[in-house]
Amino acid sequence: MYIEQMERAKRRFIITNSSIILFGVVIWYFIGPQSPISGLGIAIVGGGIIRTIDYKMYVSDKEKDFIDELVDRWGVLDIQSGRGRAEKEQYEQLMRQCDDKLHIQAISLTRFQNDLGDILNRLGQLDVEIRLLLLDPESDICEWYGEEDQERGDLQATIRESAQRLYEREIETLEVRYYDAMPANYFRIDSKAFVGPYFISEPSRSTLTFLGRTDGDLVDSYTQHFESLWQDGRQPSIEND
């Protein structure tokens, strides 16, 4: 709302100030530079130019203050066009610095294990709390999602295999649970987290993703959602799955 108000104010200023400058040009042009009144036209034009410069500086300061306040409140650190291999380096860098919590809500974490599985083992040796939520392969949502997203193949089998691989790592601080809800991306590394949606029509590796502080309003909503799903989640029965 604030941005729309500022845009409307900018348009009103541009129209008004341009009209004033044009009025000054008309006075100077039609009366002629030799007339004493022509000085009034020059003064009007000069005043309009000065007001334009002052207003641009004022708007820049207001926009900066607004952005600073927005970033501070919502805790946004970065906005990325995807969370695929192009961002693997950033995920890896933050994971190597992790010393407290690694909490993830995803669908199967198959690609995560392929790309960053070795670091996962290392974090277990450092006693990092690792809590991983995978989409429940027995849920109606998983069945529906698997039918809609054909690129994932047999989604139920993929999730079970991923859970099996996670348990085979024998990491004492790692716990896996299944959740029965619409998928969301939540990748928390200590006090920072990557968050974002999943879209049926778009691969997750190219889906818009936010990086934010866990104490900001944006990530906090995802954190509360994660904790709620974690409490309601069920542990995989690896022997039966």
Side-chain angles (χ1 to χ4, degrees):
M1 186 65 180
Y2 176 83
I3 295 178
E4 293 178 352
Q5 292 174 347
M6 179 171 286
E7 288 299 321
R8 285 197 296 267
K10 286 167 66 175
R11 286 195 295 269
R12 286 196 299 268
F13 173 82
I14 292 173
I15 293 173
T16 302
N17 203 53
S18 297
S19 299
I20 292 173
I21 293 175
L22 180 61
F23 178 67
V25 172
V26 169
I27 291 177
W28 178 84
Y29 181 80
F30 283 100
I31 293 179
Q34 304 302 324
S35 172
I37 303 179
S38 66
L40 175 62
I42 295 175
I44 292 174
V45 173
I49 294 174
I50 292 174
R51 279 193 299 273
T52 300
I53 296 173
D54 289 342
Y55 185 75
K56 284 186 176 181
M57 294 177 62
Y58 166 77
V59 169
S60 296
D61 290 340
K62 292 291 289 184
E63 289 178 342
K64 182 180 182 301
D65 292 342
F66 172 71
I67 292 172
D68 289 344
E69 180 182 352
L70 197 65
V71 169
D72 183 65
R73 173 186 173 186
W74 291 96
V76 178
L77 301 175
D78 193 15
I79 302 176
Q80 302 176 341
S81 59
R83 50 180 173 261
R85 296 182 181 276
E87 284 73 35
K88 175 189 172 184
E89 183 176 343
Q90 188 174 14
Y91 279 72
E92 183 175 353
Q93 179 182 1
L94 290 176
M95 283 187 63
R96 291 189 181 279
Q97 299 170 359
C98 180
D99 60 7
D100 184 25
K101 293 181 175 65
L102 178 67
H103 295 173
I104 304 175
Q105 178 191 353
I107 294 180
S108 70
L109 287 181
T110 299
R111 182 160 51 85
F112 166 75
Q113 290 199 73
N114 294 337
D115 293 345
L116 302 170
D118 292 341
I119 301 179
L120 195 64
N121 286 29
R122 174 178 170 274
L123 295 182
Q125 296 173 359
L126 297 175
D127 292 329
V128 171
E129 179 186 78
I130 304 173
R131 303 197 312 189
L132 308 178
L133 277 174
L134 308 183
L135 184 60
D136 193 331
E138 297 181 8
S139 66
D140 292 337
I141 292 177
C142 181
E143 182 179 358
W144 169 80
Y145 203 94
E147 292 175 353
E148 294 294 328
D149 189 358
Q150 298 296 328
E151 291 187 2
R152 292 183 180 273
D154 188 343
L155 182 57
Q156 295 173 324
T158 298
I159 294 173
R160 291 189 175 99
E161 291 171 3
S162 181
Q164 181 74 43
R165 288 177 59 192
L166 288 168
Y167 275 102
E168 288 175 353
R169 293 181 183 276
E170 298 183 347
I171 301 174
E172 293 185 2
T173 60
L174 182 149
E175 186 175 357
V176 180
R177 294 185 186 180
Y178 287 149
Y179 69 93
D180 186 358
M182 288 299 295
N185 179 57
Y186 177 77
F187 195 113
R188 176 178 180 175
I189 306 170
D190 293 339
S191 61
K192 299 178 181 178
F194 296 91
V195 298
Y198 282 98
F199 297 128
I200 292 295
S201 59
E202 186 174 356
S204 62
R205 60 182 176 273
S206 59
T207 303
L208 181 69
T209 303
F210 298 89
L211 172 62
R213 304 191 317 268
T214 53
D215 61 351
D217 288 354
L218 174 65
V219 172
D220 182 63
S221 61
Y222 280 85
T223 298
Q224 294 183 34
H225 184 60
F226 177 89
E227 294 296 339
S228 176
L229 293 178
W230 185 261
Q231 293 299 322
D232 296 337
R234 71 177 181 92
Q235 295 183 346
S237 300
I238 298 302
E239 296 81 8
N240 297 326
D241 287 357

